[in-house]
């Protein structure tokens, strides 16, 4: 089992920044990747970014490239999402996820955190 706990959400004005953290515990040694997803009210959950746990390669949704940065602290089993130049459209619940395997279409996301609310005011 892998437990994920997110933190760092909150209210910020448009143009501001926030850094989300996700602390992982449990079988983290077997995690292939960790990532961030978000879900806005009335919308489906969407991919934000992910990072390969061992190698550190990063992948982003096109709309987040250049504004969001995913990183990890291998020793602390923690993944971060630095969000800059925030827009009201970024308002959502942000979820951390862990993948213990990879398929031909990408990581298999099998563990999820509870989510943290990010609200961007205009």
């Amino acid at each position: 089992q892998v437990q994920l706990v997110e933190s760092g959400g909150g209210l910020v004005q448009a143009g501001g920044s926030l850094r989300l953290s996700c602390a992982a515990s449990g079988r983290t040694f077997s995690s292939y990747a960790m990532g961030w997803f978000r879900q806005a009210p009335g919308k489906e959950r969407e991919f934000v970014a992910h990072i390969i746990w061992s190698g550190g390669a990063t992948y982003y949704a096109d709309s987040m490239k250049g504004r969001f940065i995913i990183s990890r602290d291998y020793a602390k089993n923690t993944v971060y999402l630095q969000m800059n130049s925030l827009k009201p459209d970024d308002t959502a619940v942000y979820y951390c996820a862990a993948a213990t395997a990879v398929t031909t279409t990408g990581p298999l996301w099998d563990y999820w955190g509870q989510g943290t609310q990010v609200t961007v005011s205009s």
Side-chain angles (χ1 to χ4, degrees):
Q1 289 288 333
V2 175
Q3 292 79 43
L4 305 174
V5 179
E6 303 103 331
S7 61
L11 174 65
V12 64
Q13 289 189 330
S17 298
L18 278 176
R19 189 176 81 154
L20 306 182
S21 300
C22 174
S25 60
R27 289 179 52 200
T28 53
F29 66 90
S30 65
S31 291
Y32 167 76
M34 292 189 69
W36 290 95
F37 293 74
R38 70 184 187 183
Q39 187 167 19
K43 295 186 178 181
E44 294 187 353
R45 187 173 298 186
E46 65 173 341
F47 168 74
V48 174
H50 82 258
I51 186 166
I52 305 303
W53 192 245
S54 60
T58 57
Y59 302 85
Y60 296 90
D62 288 343
S63 61
M64 284 66 160
K65 287 180 181 177
R67 296 194 301 126
F68 291 6
I69 301 171
I70 189 170
S71 61
R72 58 123 166 69
D73 186 323
Y74 198 86
K76 294 182 178 179
N77 290 332
T78 299
V79 64
Y80 304 97
L81 185 69
Q82 177 67 42
M83 304 186 294
N84 302 317
S85 302
L86 284 163
K87 308 172 183 178
D89 285 348
D90 294 318
T91 295
V93 177
Y94 284 71
Y95 296 91
C96 177
T100 56
V102 60
T103 69
T104 55
T105 58
L108 181 63
W109 303 105
D110 41 4
Y111 295 100
W112 294 86
Q114 293 299 308
T116 185
Q117 177 70 46
V118 171
T119 303
V120 184
S121 63
S122 57

